[in-house]
Amino acid sequence: MNWDIERAPKIPIYQLIMKHITQSIQNGQLLPGEKLPSERKLATLIGVNRSTIVRVMSELEAKGIIKRQQGSGTVVNDDRWGLSQEPIVDWHQLIKTQQPDEHRRLQDKIKARLHDDTVIDAYTGELPLDLVPAFALPQSNWRDFIEADKNQDDLGYFPLRQAISTLVAQDYQFTLPVEHLMITSGGHQAIFLIVQALLNSGDAVAICQPSFLYALNLFQTAGIRLYGVPMDDQGMRLDLLETEILKHRVKLVMLNPTFQNPTGTTMSLARRKALIKLCQTYKIPIIEDDAFGLLPFDKRQNLPPLKKLDPQNVIYIGSLSKIIGSTTKIGWISAPPAVLEKLSIARQDLDLTLSIFPQVLANYALSDITFQDKLASLRAKISARMTYFFDLIGHDITCHRPAGGFYVWLKLSTDTLTKKQMDAFLGVGILCLPSFIFGDKTPAIRLNIARLNFEEITRLVETLQELKQTGLC
Ligand SMILES: Cc1ncc(COP(=O)(O)O)c(C=O)c1O
């Protein structure tokens, strides 16, 4: 075994040693159960202090990569590396362990303008009323709902779970087994329950930077440390994710790989596969939030969800909010049954039992024979709005063109994004969210193009072009 560690500027040596050991296990130079040299010997072989090796070993042990055995020293963890070539997350282990004011003020100012008819609301993250599919409701009475309640258990209304499983199978050609599916009160509750049930105060979670998760208070409230990993046009940068994993004992990676909120970026297939491999290596579960996944502009370009690529290690979150409106508040989590049990207990602890009413209504919508046609029509309408926007905006304003979802991430040509600029946007009646709300310092704004009709898009583009002339955009 070669113990020459190539030094790299700015990366602490203990991280380089951890990476070297992990890679040596992966490429078979170190075998499951194989004994590692003593700490003192390793320190001499590598030429570092013993305390550095002590840190490396305790971090690797915490990640389950090595085991310390009394009397026989430190060995490569054969429970993990010996049983399966593809290391899987030990969910049981995970289960065991269990906005600044100025942002709020800005959002309050924006919300105060929402009822003004003259503004362009590219701020609200929801479908506009005219795009919400109009499903007819069957004749039913109060007793039907009470009757339906008998079909609900801790995981939710059984027919709806079946309908969601069918929907996912139709759209993604993979199965979320009904017994692995739990209905939640929207995607938001799904995230909340995961934080409550699987994380402890002080835990580290890696997320994209920017991410809409920065805008949620629930992480702060639960004392969770969020580590933002910058993105490129293929999604989260994995070299930087690995650095965060090595630095902070990241417990979960949480991301929205398809039509990301706020940038609209979709993680490429190659990046998806590499992300899964990386997380398997470090035994870190992935939380995939697929709130926009049902809204590709071209279904042929659909990429497989991470859950389809790695059903064992990915917890999957879906939601109907972006396709039938958020008032229904129906979301779901697909996870191993042991994890679901923990999540449903967390929900009971909070006394957030699910009402049968939205579940039955959502089931009507999903079971409607026109559902797929209505969904296709919704995609086409949003796509037409997006195309119209990009035709008008031209090349002098930089923004990434999304392949689905609602959002355009407009990069500003100014050096910073100041409150004065945001006031200028408000002043000309453009309601939008700035990049700093999403944990990003590069100057940009999120625009919900799906929300705007053609006339509003025309006005938006004209106003943006005027702002650009004045150097504010
Ligand atoms: C990426 C993403 N996930 C989850 C949610 C929450 O969804 P819901 O409205 O179903 O609670 C949102 C809401 O905007 C979102 O953008």
Side-chain angles (χ1 to χ4, degrees):
M1 170 74 192
N2 168 17
W3 289 105
D4 287 340
I5 311 281
E6 204 179 315
R7 307 303 206 253
K10 294 201 189 135
I11 304 185
I13 182 69
Y14 83 91
Q15 290 180 8
L16 295 171
I17 303 173
M18 283 174 72
K19 195 168 174 177
H20 184 78
I21 294 178
T22 310
Q23 281 174 348
S24 304
I25 298 172
Q26 278 177 314
N27 63 27
Q29 277 180 294
L30 279 171
L31 295 174
E34 186 171 335
K35 192 168 171 195
L36 296 174
S38 68
E39 287 172 359
R40 195 186 306 273
K41 185 143 185 230
L42 264 185
T44 315
L45 283 168
I46 299 174
V48 291
N49 273 332
R50 189 161 165 212
S51 59
T52 306
I53 302 295
V54 170
R55 176 158 191 197
V56 169
M57 293 304 163
S58 61
E59 300 262 351
L60 289 175
E61 188 182 24
K63 292 180 191 304
I65 289 170
I66 57 159
K67 278 198 297 204
R68 284 170 171 163
Q69 292 172 334
Q70 257 200 339
S72 51
T74 304
V75 297
V76 176
N77 187 350
D78 51 356
D79 289 344
R80 175 179 173 199
W81 299 98
L83 298 178
S84 126
Q85 278 197 322
E86 301 281 288
I88 63 162
V89 170
D90 179 353
W91 292 107
H92 290 281
Q93 164 120 24
L94 181 72
I95 291 163
K96 247 192 291 161
T97 56
Q98 231 277 153
Q99 260 177 21
D101 285 351
E102 63 180 285
H103 293 189
R104 188 161 297 157
R105 273 197 294 275
L106 173 66
Q107 299 212 50
D108 286 347
K109 269 204 237 172
I110 296 174
K111 283 183 196 154
R113 299 286 307 277
L114 279 174
H115 300 293
D116 175 347
D117 288 341
T118 62
V119 296
I120 299 166
D121 175 14
Y123 156 83
T124 306
E126 286 169 22
L127 279 179
L129 190 59
D130 63 306
L131 289 196
V132 175
F135 293 105
L137 290 177
Q139 273 275 330
S140 67
N141 67 42
W142 202 256
R143 281 194 199 148
D144 295 332
F145 287 93
I146 312 289
E147 194 61 31
D149 206 29
K150 292 184 188 149
N151 251 333
Q152 129 144 286
D153 61 15
D154 291 342
L155 299 183
Y157 181 47
F158 190 73
L160 178 60
R161 286 161 58 206
Q162 282 176 314
I164 287 169
S165 182
T166 307
L167 172 69
V168 171
Q170 271 171 348
D171 274 63
Y172 292 125
Q173 287 82 46
F174 87 112
T175 307
L176 292 179
V178 181
E179 60 279 12
H180 293 190
L181 257 183
M182 170 176 172
I183 309 292
T184 58
S185 178
H188 193 248
Q189 189 189 60
I191 298 168
F192 183 80
L193 292 177
I194 288 168
V195 170
Q196 289 298 314
L198 304 185
L199 296 173
N200 289 315
S201 174
D203 280 345
V205 173
I207 63 173
C208 285
Q209 188 177 15
S211 165
F212 92 106
L213 294 172
Y214 278 109
L216 304 182
N217 285 327
L218 64 96
F219 291 96
Q220 263 184 338
T221 315
I224 307 302
R225 290 173 297 146
L226 292 180
Y227 290 100
V229 180
M231 303 168 71
D232 60 21
D233 59 354
Q234 292 193 52
M236 184 185 263
R237 280 198 37 201
L238 300 188
D239 52 338
L240 301 179
L241 171 61
E242 188 168 21
T243 308
E244 296 301 330
I245 290 174
L246 292 167
K247 257 202 281 188
H248 302 294
R249 288 200 189 178
V250 165
K251 207 157 171 200
L252 293 177
V253 175
M254 214 177 230
L255 75 174
N256 167 211
T258 305
F259 319 137
Q260 197 240 12
N261 182 0
T263 62
T265 310
T266 292
M267 183 179 267
S268 67
L269 183 57
R271 187 70 61 87
R272 285 171 196 243
K273 290 182 177 165
L275 169 70
I276 283 168
K277 200 145 198 270
L278 183 70
C279 288
Q280 284 177 347
T281 301
Y282 289 104
K283 236 179 162 185
I284 298 174
I286 299 173
I287 313 296
E288 175 180 31
D289 177 351
D290 198 24
F292 292 93
L294 293 164
L295 290 176
F297 300 146
D298 180 353
K299 264 186 94 173
R300 291 163 306 176
Q301 312 271 321
N302 252 3
L303 290 177
L306 301 169
K307 180 73 175 169
K308 181 173 179 180
L309 299 173
D310 184 7
Q312 290 260 32
N313 299 320
V314 176
I315 293 182
Y316 179 84
I317 297 175
S319 166
L320 294 182
S321 293
K322 307 300 173 190
I323 56 172
I324 62 173
S326 64
T327 36
T328 331
K329 270 279 161 223
I330 291 293
W332 58 90
I333 303 178
S334 173
V339 177
L340 284 191
E341 195 183 325
K342 188 90 183 164
L343 296 172
S344 83
I345 292 170
R347 179 157 60 196
Q348 287 157 35
D349 284 349
L350 293 164
D351 201 21
L352 288 173
T353 46
L354 273 187
S355 161
I356 192 68
F357 288 92
Q359 297 186 82
V360 170
L361 294 175
N363 190 43
Y364 284 153
L366 294 189
S367 321
D368 192 304
I369 48 162
T370 65
F371 179 82
Q372 279 297 341
D373 290 344
K374 289 201 163 83
L375 184 56
S377 152
L378 173 64
R379 289 182 188 121
K381 284 180 189 155
I382 302 177
S383 172
R385 291 178 178 199
M386 210 52 96
T387 303
Y388 187 71
F389 172 79
F390 277 93
D391 285 349
L392 286 186
I393 196 92
H395 295 295
D396 52 337
I397 292 183
T398 323
C399 36
H400 162 82
R401 185 171 188 150
F406 293 177
Y407 300 121
V408 164
W409 189 240
L410 193 140
K411 298 218 167 119
L412 306 180
S413 52
T414 50
D415 291 337
T416 50
L417 176 51
T418 57
K419 275 194 231 121
K420 189 171 155 225
Q421 264 166 287
M422 284 315 296
D423 284 342
F425 281 115
L426 268 174
V428 292
I430 297 181
L431 308 189
C432 60
L433 274 177
S435 45
F436 52 78
I437 296 277
F438 302 103
D440 194 7
K441 289 203 176 78
T442 52
I445 51 172
R446 185 193 81 176
L447 299 169
N448 180 355
I449 297 299
R451 217 178 151 80
L452 308 178
N453 61 34
F454 292 130
E455 183 271 322
E456 287 168 323
I457 294 176
T458 310
R459 268 199 295 137
L460 170 71
V461 172
E462 282 169 6
T463 317
L464 287 172
Q465 277 158 351
E466 280 161 23
L467 282 177
K468 184 145 175 91
Q469 310 268 306
T470 60
L472 281 167
C473 170

